[in-house]
Amino acid sequence: MGKLRSGAAEWLVPGHTGRPRLFQNLLLLLWTLFSCSLGGSAQGPGEWTPWGSWSRCSSSCGRGVSVRSRRCIRFPEEDPCWGDSHEYRLCQLPECPLGAVPFRDIQCALYNGRPVLGTQKTYQWVPFHGAPNQCELNCLAEGHTFYHSFGRVLDGTPCTPGAQGLCVAGRCLSAGCDGVLGSGALEDRCGRCGGANDSCLFVQRVFRDAGAYAGYWNVTLIPEGARHIHVAQRSRNHLALVTGDGRYVLNGNWAASPPGTYEAAGTHVVYIRAPGPEETLHAAGPTSQDLLLQVLLQEPNPGVQFEFWLPRERYGPFQARAQTLGWALRQPQPREVEPRPPDPPPAARAAVPTRAPTLVPDPCPPCPDTRGRAHRLLHYCGSDFVFQARVLSRHHQAQETQYEVRILLIYKNRSPLRTREYVWAPGYCPCPPLAPHREYLLAVRRLVSPDGTQDRLLLPHAGYARPWSPAEDSRARLASRRCPL
Ligand SMILES: *[C@@H]1O[C@H](CO)[C@@H](O)[C@H](O)[C@H]1NC(C)=O
Ligand SMILES: *[C@@H]1O[C@H](CO)[C@@H](O)[C@H](O)[C@H]1NC(C)=O
């Protein structure tokens, strides 16, 4: 268009407008209009021919490159085409037989026994890898202390033995995930070449359950298809991994496995244990089956961090299953990091509005006497849990009383307990009553509602709850031996 304007401007120049000049200008205008309407402005790049077919692989075994090319069609006044005229692709042939001579060695050996370096002397040549440009054919004269550079290596020569990059036109290129050397295309977290992480979801959580007893605790399900799995924990506890058929991949049966690489669910799981103490698990995935992540507790759990990427369609079922398996909290639970949060200082305690016992007469009638060996045995043997616990708080809700307790010592448990639990007691005036900030020996039952929506620890009316003392401790230990099996 620039040409059209200048032509038009020339035509409109006033003054010496002889006829021949006007005619010339008219022709010029017509020509520029014509070339404009064809879209063939003299500037701009030419056009590529379609790509030719891929060449044969440069190597006869193992990795090599194949190349394809295209030509730029352009008028002399046009700019060169944009982009590359050659494209190089990784080709992978069956592995070379053991003892096959490497490609670079062959190229050096071509100069064996031939006069080089402008003298009649001849040498035997072997690759030299200490030179700066790894895509030059640097060969060491065997038995001598010099090397010579014979120019570029042939396309498809590995940049260094065992490395991923291949030399192409004297440059070391690695294949992108599309197989094209130097394309820079990367696989996204979902495993899509050149993707934008949008076909999967990132799951990142911390399992903070402090764990009320030593043993295996479920941390999370890692569903089939998970990628980029990372798990870390810092304590003397151990991470454990279970396959779908219940087989332990590592740290099963209360025995610590050595650090190393383990095969599981079609991927390599790298298990690292640092003296810190710290443990990590990594796996690239994608996993070919569900894995169950557990932690083997020997001390309170300071937190197990885990993350992975999950295909979008797997996320919903994963959430649903985690909930039905009870990894959602059994009851609304305090989520602070355990193990041993300090008790609130007396000042903070005083600030919490509590009923002033001296001013308001206790409206609750006295409780029946529940002391005695027979009573203790009955409750010890008939309960699901017996533990020493400190009452952290007490709340009245409808016709029930809810105690939040911190479990200090477990004598008996039929299912896992957390360090902090809620214990429920029937009525506004439960018997026996528990006072906040005191420690007790409690025998409680697990109560699951028929529809499964509520799962609670229940201290039954006239159940067993005694202030904790060393004597109570030995009585509980004694009782444990007296229960019928
Ligand atoms: C995908 O996520 C990873 C990790 O968060 C990030 O490093 C990468 O840049 C993301 N890729 C894209 C294309 O957004
Ligand atoms: C842990 O998860 C497995 C597999 O879902 C389940 O069978 C088992 O009962 C769970 N264990 C505990 C202690 O919740």
Side-chain angles (χ1 to χ4, degrees), residues 186-403:
L186 294 174
E187 207 175 67
D188 73 357
R189 299 268 117 180
C190 316
R192 285 216 192 153
C193 188
N197 295 338
D198 50 2
S199 62
C200 58
L201 289 169
F202 185 43
V203 175
Q204 186 183 41
R205 294 180 192 167
V206 183
F207 173 76
R208 293 204 192 280
D209 202 310
Y213 70 101
Y216 288 95
W217 287 68
N218 284 340
V219 174
T220 184
L221 179 79
I222 303 176
E224 177 188 340
R227 288 173 185 268
H228 304 285
I229 303 163
H230 296 280
V231 185
Q233 68 92 16
R234 281 181 198 188
S235 70
R236 290 189 299 109
N237 301 325
H238 292 303
L239 299 170
L241 208 53
V242 190
T243 57
D245 55 12
R247 196 176 51 83
Y248 274 94
V249 179
L250 49 88
N251 292 335
N253 306 317
W254 297 80
S257 308
T261 303
Y262 293 79
E263 293 273 347
T267 187
H268 296 288
V269 179
V270 180
Y271 172 48
I272 300 169
R273 196 158 58 216
E278 180 179 353
E279 277 185 328
T280 57
L281 288 182
H282 302 282
T287 52
S288 60
Q289 56 162 283
D290 290 352
L291 289 172
L292 178 62
L293 176 67
Q294 295 186 328
V295 61
L296 173 55
L297 292 188
Q298 338 215 24
E299 63 181 37
N301 165 36
V304 178
Q305 299 173 27
F306 61 90
E307 61 180 56
F308 48 84
W309 292 76
L310 208 54
R312 269 180 187 279
E313 65 278 11
R314 295 259 160 85
Y315 187 77
F318 160 65
Q319 277 290 69
R321 213 177 136 196
Q323 268 161 24
T324 54
L325 286 176
W327 298 329
L329 300 170
R330 183 160 56 217
Q331 301 163 351
Q333 295 279 344
R335 299 302 308 262
E336 311 93 294
V337 186
E338 292 275 2
R340 298 257 156 179
D343 286 315
R349 248 182 248 167
V352 176
T354 50
R355 290 187 297 149
T358 47
L359 296 181
V360 182
D362 193 346
C364 292
C367 286
D369 188 358
T370 54
R371 282 175 296 184
R373 184 162 165 266
H375 185 80
R376 180 167 55 245
L377 267 182
L378 178 74
H379 282 277
Y380 192 105
C381 302
S383 65
D384 298 314
F385 306 92
V386 178
F387 49 77
Q388 176 200 351
R390 180 180 178 87
V391 177
L392 302 176
S393 67
R394 175 181 62 193
H395 296 284
H396 296 293
Q397 288 187 4
Q399 290 306 303
E400 293 173 306
T401 300
Q402 179 207 51
Y403 299 104

Side-chain angles (χ1 to χ4, degrees), residues 27-28 32 65 86 90 92 131 188 235 242 247 272 279 284 298 332 385 434 468:
L27 272 182
L28 185 63
T32 45
V65 296
H86 288 71
L90 189 70
Q92 181 79 52
D188 73 357
S235 70
V242 190
R247 196 176 51 83
I272 300 169
E279 277 185 328
Q298 338 215 24
F385 306 92
L434 306 183
W468 193 86

